[in-house]
Amino acid sequence: MTDDSTDTRPAPAISTARLDLLPLRVEHAAEMAEVLADPALHAFIGGTPLSPEELLARYRRLAAGSPDPAERWLNWVIFVRAENRLAGTVQATITGHTAEIAWVVGTPWQGRGIAREAARALVDWLSTQPVHTVVAHIHPDHHASAAVAASAGLTATDERHDGEVRWQRPLQ
């Protein structure tokens, strides 16, 4: 394991009781376009759902990795084993010793603890890496995401970034 951001290893698979966080592959784009198709998912983050072709292009960029050698992009799809289905994504961008995380779960899978379980697993894995701080930025009115962050041990701060609350958790 390296101790800097020049680490280019792909994201490993991470398993929980119900889920597998699988490293994002370009081949996931078609199914994920369906998972992320609900415009309501964009209420707090803006934008509109991407078409399968647009998501394929995005996944190609993500799979290529960050163009900035000081940043490591790690992306996973959330696979619900009992349903044999993808249900969302989690991601971490590591810069130095800080990991900024995010998650999104498709509308049909919300309210079932999937985001909570996936975010906890991601933070647990990050605690085994040379990461000292985990950060998430959450819209102040997005109470479900705030609950996910809190369940992963992050605490809201007084800091704002583009109108979102900075949540963080020290790991070291």
Side-chain angles (χ1 to χ4, degrees):
M1 174 177 350
T2 65
D3 192 39
D4 61 28
S5 305
T6 60
D7 188 343
T8 58
R9 290 173 298 153
I14 301 168
S15 293
T16 70
R18 300 181 298 158
L19 311 173
D20 290 317
L21 307 184
L22 304 174
L24 179 107
R25 294 191 334 253
V26 172
E27 296 81 16
H28 292 130
E31 185 175 352
M32 287 305 300
E34 293 176 27
V35 171
L36 303 174
D38 185 353
L41 288 175
H42 298 269
F44 293 106
I45 60 173
T48 58
L50 298 177
S51 70
E53 297 77 21
E54 291 168 325
L55 198 58
L56 179 63
R58 177 174 169 74
Y59 283 9
R60 281 190 179 122
R61 286 190 306 276
L62 291 173
S66 173
D68 181 348
E71 249 182 18
R72 184 175 177 206
W73 292 350
L74 299 168
N75 297 278
W76 294 264
V77 291
I78 302 169
F79 180 76
V80 180
R81 284 192 300 274
E83 298 177 29
N84 198 32
R85 255 319 272 191
L86 299 180
T89 64
V90 292
Q91 64 187 47
T93 299
I94 301 175
T95 307
H97 296 287
T98 300
E100 184 159 339
I101 65 170
W103 52 85
V104 62
V105 171
T107 305
W109 296 274
Q110 291 179 3
R112 295 168 37 191
I114 291 171
R116 184 175 305 212
E117 190 172 329
R120 282 183 186 164
L122 175 56
V123 171
D124 287 348
W125 178 79
L126 287 167
S127 73
T128 71
Q129 303 302 299
V131 170
H132 300 171
T133 307
V134 175
V135 172
H137 291 95
I138 300 172
H139 190 283
D141 296 328
H142 199 320
H143 304 295
S145 275
V148 169
S151 77
L154 282 72
T155 304
T157 70
D158 292 333
E159 294 179 52
R160 298 284 190 274
H161 178 73
D162 292 334
E164 294 183 321
V165 176
R166 176 185 170 102
W167 288 68
Q168 67 184 39
R169 174 182 170 182
L171 294 179
Q172 309 266 338

